[in-house]
Amino acid sequence: MSTKSPLGATARLPKARGERSRGASVALHTTLAVASLIALFPVLFVVFVSLRGRDGWQEPTRFVGFDLSNYTHILGETKFLTWFGNSVIVSLGATVLGVFVAATAGYAVSRMRFPGHRSLMWTFLVVQMFPMAVLIVPLYNILGELELLDSYLGLIVTYCSVSVPFCAWMLKGYFDTIPAEIDEAGRVDGLSPFGTFWRLILPLARPGLAVTGFYSFITAWGEVAFATQFMSSEEHYTLAVGLQTFVGQQKAEWGLMTAAAVLIAVPAGAVFFLAQRHLVAGLTAGGTKG
């Protein structure tokens, strides 16, 4: 940046603090572009293989022979649509129930002082430390005693046990950022504690609910271990379990698996698209106070 001095000479102004040079900007954008390509390559490769037919994965470098045979076979000759419907039922059920339980727990700890309110949140935190594999046997025994094995409700409750602790912690932090005067105004207007929570607080907590809802949905949508152990009949398989039928002892149908993976990713991408405008606000607000 330069300017004319009173004597006609050109004087160069100093760069603003933090301003990057052209070379640094080019290097930064080049690095970001390369990193984006590296991140997108696995996704694009899966889409590419899915369009190459049943055996196209054996020659992935050939750019010929594209068709939709893998997709037509999955949609027309397998139980993919049944598995898809099961996954939708389980994921939506786990999302609605998990977010509701987490929101009520987080609100109670944020606003009320009852015996054990601090130990409750610490219990949620400790539960999150256990790996999911450790919970398979005890959860299997519990669901067996309740006769909930091979049922949608059993899997929904299982996924809630995984997602609720994290969601409760996040929503508790988000509720802390909402002024307590709103609760007092609700009580003055004659609302019950639940009425205040439902009609005043939840509408203000939409970003936090979006984050926890997205987390709960993704947790249930792509989970494999619990669904494999708890669902024994094929008509109750979720998508993650149904994909395993494409892998045999002698051969794996990689073309069908990649096509199914593309179809499975579409709902997850749609949910992210719907929730993305709330994600940043929910994540940052939930971490400002704890």
Side-chain angles (χ1 to χ4, degrees):
M1 184 181 297
S2 60
T3 184
K4 289 284 187 177
S5 68
L7 299 178
T10 301
R12 186 173 299 275
L13 295 178
K15 292 184 179 180
R17 185 176 182 180
E19 182 180 355
R20 290 190 298 267
S21 64
R22 179 171 299 180
S25 297
V26 171
L28 176 62
H29 286 83
T30 301
T31 302
L32 294 176
V34 172
S36 299
L37 291 176
I38 293 174
L40 288 175
F41 175 76
V43 179
L44 297 176
F45 183 75
V46 169
V47 176
F48 175 76
V49 172
S50 71
L51 297 173
R52 292 291 314 283
R54 298 284 290 273
D55 298 322
W57 60 272
Q58 297 177 358
E59 296 178 311
T61 58
R62 295 185 60 188
F63 290 86
V64 294
F66 295 98
D67 58 52
L68 298 175
S69 60
N70 288 325
Y71 293 92
T72 56
H73 180 86
I74 285 177
L75 296 175
E77 301 182 32
T78 67
K79 293 186 177 181
F80 180 85
L81 294 179
T82 300
W83 305 334
F84 186 91
N86 294 339
S87 291
V88 170
I89 293 172
V90 172
S91 299
L92 291 181
T95 300
V96 173
L97 180 61
V99 171
F100 179 76
V101 173
T104 53
Y107 178 75
V109 176
S110 175
R111 291 293 194 267
M112 305 174 185
R113 294 297 177 264
F114 52 90
H117 76 280
R118 291 187 178 274
S119 60
L120 175 63
M121 298 306 294
W122 281 110
T123 301
F124 283 158
L125 183 62
V126 172
V127 169
Q128 283 292 101
M129 297 179 182
F130 289 96
M132 293 177 60
V134 177
L135 303 176
I136 292 178
V137 174
L139 285 174
Y140 186 93
N141 293 332
I142 294 173
L143 294 180
E145 292 290 335
L146 298 175
E147 298 183 355
L148 292 178
L149 289 174
D150 197 27
S151 68
Y152 299 136
L153 180 59
L155 203 56
I156 289 173
V157 172
T158 298
Y159 291 151
C160 288
S161 68
V162 176
S163 62
V164 164
F166 171 80
C167 295
W169 262 99
M170 175 166 287
L171 287 175
K172 187 264 181 188
Y174 194 88
F175 290 141
D176 286 344
T177 64
I178 299 177
E181 288 78 7
I182 295 178
D183 302 66
E184 298 175 1
R187 288 193 292 269
V188 170
D189 290 339
L191 292 176
S192 64
F194 183 80
T196 302
F197 165 74
W198 185 260
R199 299 180 61 180
L200 299 181
I201 303 301
L202 283 187
L204 296 175
R206 287 179 181 175
L209 296 176
V211 174
T212 53
F214 178 73
Y215 173 79
S216 299
F217 181 86
I218 294 300
T219 299
W221 185 257
E223 200 279 328
V224 178
F226 290 142
T228 302
Q229 299 300 322
F230 300 161
M231 293 300 193
S232 56
S233 57
E234 190 172 359
E235 61 269 15
H236 288 161
Y237 281 177
T238 60
L239 286 169
V241 183
L243 283 180
Q244 299 182 20
T245 61
F246 299 143
V247 181
Q249 295 182 352
Q250 305 297 330
K251 182 181 179 180
E253 296 286 354
W254 292 109
L256 299 181
M257 291 185 66
T258 53
V262 173
L263 295 176
I264 292 173
V266 172
V271 172
F272 175 79
F273 178 79
L274 294 174
Q276 64 174 341
R277 64 193 182 101
H278 296 299
L279 291 179
V280 175
L283 288 171
T284 54
T288 54
K289 293 180 68 177

